[in-house]
Amino acid sequence: MPDLLPRYGTATLSEVVPALLHAIGSPLDDGPSALVLPPARAAVLLLVDGLGHELLRTHAADAPVLTGLADAGPLTVGFPSTTPISLTSLGTGLPPGAHGTLGLRFRVDGRLLDALGWSEGRRDLREVLVPEQVQPEPTALERAAAAGVDVTVVSHREFRTSGLTRSGLRGGAYRGVGALGDLAAEILSGVDERVPGPRLVYGYHADLDQLGHVHGPGSTAWRWQLRQIDALAGMLLDALPAGTLFTVTGDHGMVTVDRVLDADRTPELQAGVAQLGGDPRARHVYTEPGAADEVLAAWRAVLGDDAAVVTREQAVADGWFGPVQDRLRDRIGDVVVALRGTAAVVRSEAEPYLASFPGQHGSFTAAEQLVPLLTH
């Protein structure tokens, strides 16, 4: 069984935007929010990629502003605990089994879609697998904008038309930025008190996750980046107009892996496998016809106590993805693998860059699943 099953419907990233909209007096027509936040004129949500609850507590001395805020969490992020799943859950207000973004790489119409680049290998799939069709549910941001909320998304300019933005974060006005300075400036512009009406600003910062991957979470470089984010939070708190609810969360935590198995160099993990998706901490194994039982047995034998290895049916029944729509079931691997402890299944040939990272995430450990929901 998973170490920490996501708390779908009560305390995950899917509940955050509905709670913020309820706080500014523009609730979505979905009934009462599972999360309760204080009422406000406007709301800002800063999502720091890779800001795990346990990492923040461990390195509290590097982030006195953030750790001085009230925490309405910790929240669980969903499975896999990876950026495309988490951001789509945040933007749509839906669990993975409802929005259908189910892995870093997952199968859609026979293709293995890389959800970060919306690509297969080097091929851009935005015209083949149209993001608005892969994830057709209206996002919470779209619904809020349609209800009269002034919605602003502040993120890196290169993400404006990305498949991930179009699928899970569409809605409102997009403000493209390139550094901490214009990130702060655009967030503040989005809650200008001279503009009437309810306002919601979502800001995204990516660099902590990048340094955690490359150098390891808690490394010197990672800690310096956390200090910069803490300074950003302090500047925003000083400058936000009265009546603004300021919140900070993450999309996952991270672990440093120390036991690595290479699927590209382990014949037992290749037999009967048609496609291998997911990421090093959470794998979707798509099998050849009739080979699912043999693949399940082989992966269990090789990984042993380092992973929970289950069938698609068991993963769905046990609630790994939340309630799963029937049309989305074949996006899940015939065999689903969640790594335990600090183990990883890498692909040195197919995913050489990803395989080189000491910092990884995607599974069910508290270090990966739990993120704060800091409020002021």
Side-chain angles (χ1 to χ4, degrees):
M1 287 298 294
D3 295 354
L4 180 61
L5 194 67
R7 298 189 286 268
Y8 295 118
T10 59
T12 70
L13 290 174
S14 304
E15 284 72 60
V16 173
V17 170
L20 290 170
L21 292 171
H22 193 275
I24 61 176
S26 298
L28 300 177
D29 190 20
D30 297 331
S33 174
L35 287 174
V36 178
L37 298 173
R41 178 194 68 86
V44 169
L45 172 63
L46 175 63
L47 187 138
V48 178
D49 199 321
L51 184 67
H53 171 73
E54 292 196 350
L55 283 168
L56 182 60
R57 289 198 309 175
T58 299
H59 301 282
D62 294 311
V65 174
L66 293 174
T67 54
L69 301 177
D71 192 349
L75 307 176
T76 53
V77 299
F79 180 80
S81 49
T82 300
T83 298
I85 297 89
S86 293
L87 294 191
T88 306
S89 291
L90 183 83
T92 61
L94 299 171
H99 61 63
T101 300
L102 293 164
L104 179 62
R105 292 178 178 85
F106 63 101
R107 187 174 63 188
V108 182
D109 296 340
R111 297 179 180 273
L112 198 60
L113 173 66
D114 181 329
L116 277 182
W118 216 262
S119 59
E120 185 179 42
R122 296 185 177 182
R123 184 183 180 189
D124 188 329
L125 293 182
R126 284 177 291 180
E127 293 186 4
V128 178
L129 298 176
V130 178
E132 294 84 356
Q133 295 173 5
V134 172
Q135 198 302 103
E137 302 293 339
T139 71
L141 302 178
E142 283 181 305
R143 295 165 64 198
V149 179
D150 192 303
V151 177
T152 303
V153 174
V154 184
S155 187
H156 200 285
R157 59 178 62 92
E158 71 180 65
F159 302 148
R160 181 187 297 272
T161 60
S162 74
L164 185 56
T165 297
R166 288 171 52 187
S167 66
L169 293 164
R170 59 184 182 263
Y174 194 98
R175 301 286 184 252
V177 300
L180 286 177
D182 52 355
L183 175 64
E186 293 291 356
I187 287 174
L188 293 170
S189 175
V191 290
D192 190 334
E193 60 188 336
R194 295 170 295 182
V195 181
R199 303 175 73 80
L200 172 66
V201 176
Y202 162 70
Y204 172 77
H205 179 73
D207 295 346
L208 190 70
D209 175 70
Q210 178 184 0
L211 294 181
H213 279 304
V214 174
H215 300 284
S219 63
T220 299
W222 185 95
R223 292 178 59 196
W224 277 111
Q225 187 63 42
L226 179 61
R227 293 176 187 181
Q228 291 189 27
I229 294 165
D230 196 64
L232 170 67
M235 291 187 290
L236 288 172
L237 285 170
D238 288 342
L240 285 169
T244 302
L245 173 62
F246 178 61
T247 58
V248 182
T249 192
D251 57 342
H252 54 73
M254 191 175 290
V255 298
T256 300
V257 299
D258 58 10
R259 295 193 308 286
V260 175
L261 188 69
D262 189 347
D264 288 344
R265 298 178 180 176
T266 307
E268 298 92 331
L269 300 186
Q270 298 170 12
V273 176
Q275 294 170 309
L276 182 56
D279 60 62
R281 293 280 297 165
R283 289 291 181 186
H284 287 290
V285 187
Y286 305 99
T287 66
E288 300 285 358
D293 289 345
E294 291 77 9
V295 171
L296 177 71
W299 280 69
R300 282 179 170 171
V302 172
L303 293 176
D305 293 337
D306 279 336
V309 182
V310 302
T311 63
R312 171 195 296 148
E313 292 73 22
Q314 183 177 341
V316 171
D318 289 349
W320 286 24
F321 305 96
V324 178
Q325 294 187 23
D326 287 343
R327 68 179 182 87
L328 302 174
R329 282 181 176 250
D330 68 353
R331 297 185 183 183
I332 301 169
D334 299 283
V335 174
V336 187
V337 181
L339 277 297
R340 295 191 174 107
T342 51
V345 175
V346 303
R347 301 194 66 191
S348 60
E349 297 175 14
E351 303 165 357
Y353 186 55
L354 182 60
S356 70
F357 293 156
Q360 300 283 0
H361 54 82
S363 196
F364 285 116
T365 68
E368 296 159 286
Q369 276 289 325
L370 294 179
V371 295
L373 182 59
L374 310 174
T375 67
H376 179 82

